[in-house]
Every structure is written in C-alpha cells, then in structure tokens.
C-alpha cells in the first residue's frame, strides 16, 4: 500500500470535500490510488512549465475521485498528461482550449491556470478536472470490457434516456441552482455538472433529484462516505 506524506494529505484535505469525508481506511486507499496514478502517467510541462508535485496530486485526485468505485482506476485511455501554463492552441479545431483529450495519442491536455481557477470556484463553474476526466472515463469505458466500464456505460445510457424521456425532470435540473449560469455545449459538459454536484453536495443533490442521484451513484459504483 503506497502512502502520501502529511503535506500531500493536507493539500487533498484543503481542496476536496470528498477526501475529508472518507474514513481513515478509505483515505489510505485513496492515497494509494493517487500514488499509483501519478506513477502510471507521464506528466509533461509545456511552454517551459515545470510540473510540480502539487500539479500531479491535484490532477490525479480528480481521476481517483471519479473512479474510486472502480476496480480498475488507471483510465487506460490516458498515458500522458500535458500541462500548459494557460490556454493552448488546438489543431483539432483551430481554436484555444482549456482542456482536451486525444484518444489516438492517449494524451490528456490541461491548462493549469484554468484548472486551478475551476478548482477554486467550485459551484460557480464546471470543474475542468471533472469535465475532462468524465469524458476520458466515458471514452475509456466504451472500449474496455471490464465490469466497471460496462456498469458506467450502461448507466450513462440509462441516465441519458431518462432525461430525454422525462422533459419536466430535465427542465427542473436546468432551472436548479446546480445548473445556474451553465451553457451546455454537449452531453459531456451536462454530465460533468451532474458528476460535480453529486460529489460535492450529495445530500442536497439526492434530496432534490433522487432519480438522477441514484443513476449517477450506480454509474460510479459509489458505496462509501455517505453516498
């Protein structure tokens, strides 16, 4: 079992409600998974950016939170994580991005400035880490055949079908404080907002949207920390 030092643990506690609500035993599992994820991925700074321990920890923690109910938490779709100081130019659509996944190259690209801002402004904007890793997990689950991937993919389809079929529920979601000020470009962003509020404010989210909560819990296989 790999461990984190006190400084690492304090950083996670200061940034993530999820981590603070885990039991001591669950925190040990979380620490082990973060350490393994960091070792498994190649973190590369771009435009002269020096990759720090803080960057590796905070980025990896997002992946580990979303996959904490999975048996395989490595997200095999990603081998490398490129970190830019700020928004970067993407050749895929000739525009500047804050985050991007290239499945062919097995690369996740992150703007550190935007990542930090979205982490500090939780509830006011979609977390860049949650958004990008939600997309990565979804894409990874579609190509993998393990139990966790199958559960995630099937539950995602069921959630999408439920929200498509139940327009009043969808509109209630969009009018709620959880979605206030959000402009949705695609299903990943919509799902990322659901994921973020499910993780950050589970009791309130469950109280207002029990059907959506139950389907998200099923998708992530969450059975700990009061979920």
């Amino acid at each position: 079992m790999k461990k984190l030092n006190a400084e690492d643990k304090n950083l996670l506690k200061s940034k993530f409600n999820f981590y603070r609500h885990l039991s001591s035993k669950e925190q040990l599992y979380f620490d082990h998974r973060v350490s393994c994820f960091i070792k498994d991925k190649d973190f590369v700074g771009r435009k002269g950016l020096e990759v720090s321990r803080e960057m590796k920890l905070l980025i990896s923690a997002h992946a580990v939170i979303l996959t904490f109910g999975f048996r395989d938490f490595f997200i095999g779709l990603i081998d490398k994580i490129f970190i830019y100081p700020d928004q970067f130019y993407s050749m895929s659509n000739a525009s500047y991005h804050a985050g991007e996944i290239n499945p062919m190259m097995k690369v996740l690209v992150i703007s550190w400035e935007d990542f930090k801002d979205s982490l500090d402004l939780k509830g006011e904007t979609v977390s860049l880490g949650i958004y990008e890793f939600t997309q990565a997990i979804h894409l990874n689950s579609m190509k993998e055949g393990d139990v966790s991937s199958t559960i995630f993919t099937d539950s995602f389809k069921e959630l999408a079908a439920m929200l498509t079929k139940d327009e009043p529920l969808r509109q209630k979601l969009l009018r709620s404080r959880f979605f206030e000020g959000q402009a949705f470009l695609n299903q990943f962003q919509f799902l990322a907002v659901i994921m973020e509020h499910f993780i950050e404010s589970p009791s309130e989210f469950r109280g207002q949207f029990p059907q959506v909560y139950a389907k998200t819990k099923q998708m992530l296989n969450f059975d700990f920390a009061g979920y």
Side-chain angles (χ1 to χ4, degrees), residues 122-182:
K122 279 181 180 174
E124 298 177 37
T125 184
V126 181
S127 163
L128 181 60
I130 294 292
Y131 177 79
E132 295 299 338
F133 279 116
T134 294
Q135 184 175 357
I137 292 166
H138 187 194
L139 293 172
N140 189 70
S141 295
M142 288 192 294
K143 77 177 187 65
E144 297 293 344
D146 63 286
V147 173
S148 296
S149 294
T150 301
I151 291 172
F152 184 92
T153 302
D154 289 349
S155 300
F156 175 82
K157 290 177 182 176
E158 291 166 7
L159 175 60
M162 180 174 69
L163 293 174
T164 300
K165 231 180 264 186
D166 193 339
E167 185 60 24
L169 175 60
R170 178 182 169 83
Q171 290 304 318
K172 183 183 175 184
L173 262 175
L174 291 172
R175 289 194 301 268
S176 72
R177 78 150 188 93
F178 299 110
F179 286 76
E180 188 177 359
Q182 302 292 349

Side-chain angles (χ1 to χ4, degrees), residues 45-97:
R46 293 300 206 191
K47 288 190 175 179
L49 181 71
E50 185 175 340
V51 178
S52 66
R53 175 70 174 175
E54 177 189 16
M55 293 175 185
K56 293 181 180 181
L57 274 171
L58 294 181
I59 292 171
S60 299
H62 281 80
V64 172
I65 287 171
L66 287 170
T67 60
F68 203 55
F70 292 12
R71 183 168 295 177
D72 181 356
F73 58 92
F74 286 107
I75 314 178
L77 184 78
I78 299 170
D79 282 342
K80 297 183 178 185
I81 299 175
F82 292 163
I83 311 172
Y84 282 80
D86 46 28
Q87 292 195 5
F88 52 90
Y89 187 78
S90 171
M91 297 297 290
S92 63
N93 61 359
S95 64
Y96 283 88
H97 287 197

Side-chain angles (χ1 to χ4, degrees), residues 210-223:
Q211 296 165 287
V212 179
Y213 179 92
K215 197 55 66 178
T216 309
K217 179 178 178 177
Q218 176 183 307
M219 191 186 314
L220 297 177
N221 192 35
F222 267 33
D223 191 24

